[in-house]
Amino acid sequence: MLEFKYDTQLLIEGNNLDEDVISAYFTEHFKGDCLLAVGDDEMIKIHFHTNEPWKVLEYCASLGEIYDIVVEDMDRQSRGLKG
């Protein structure tokens, strides 16, 4: 069984985005691992393993428009099922 079940990926498009601020918020407010928050002040790519992807989506939506959203169940995938 995986500690963090959901692989959550998305793009945030907005104004004055800061990958360091976003990374710090994730570290302080969300339980998870494998955080990747990279981009520039107009677009950030997020990759994060968590058990609460809805919280990640809610936070990211507060920063700008979110799209290309993918939430995959890695536990199902590890058992050979469609994720």
Side-chain angles (χ1 to χ4, degrees):
M1 183 90 152
L2 299 169
E3 182 178 1
F4 299 108
K5 185 174 178 177
Y6 298 103
D7 177 13
T8 308
Q9 302 175 50
L10 63 124
L11 294 172
I12 310 167
E13 189 172 64
N15 296 315
N16 300 317
L17 297 173
D18 185 324
E19 61 190 36
D20 294 330
V21 170
I22 293 169
S23 292
Y25 187 93
F26 269 72
T27 301
E28 187 174 323
H29 292 89
F30 303 133
K31 292 181 182 176
D33 63 12
C34 297
L35 174 62
L36 177 67
V38 296
D40 57 30
D41 64 345
E42 295 179 354
M43 184 175 297
I44 301 283
K45 164 78 175 176
I46 299 291
H47 174 269
F48 190 57
H49 297 169
T50 183
N51 290 329
E52 301 172 319
W54 53 90
K55 290 183 178 182
V56 170
L57 296 176
E58 182 178 39
Y59 168 67
C60 292
S62 76
L63 301 174
E65 183 178 354
I66 60 174
Y67 63 100
D68 285 353
I69 300 163
V70 176
V71 177
E72 295 180 323
D73 185 331
M74 296 184 299
D75 182 55
R76 286 182 55 86
Q77 290 176 339
S78 72
R79 292 182 283 137
L81 304 172
K82 198 167 191 167

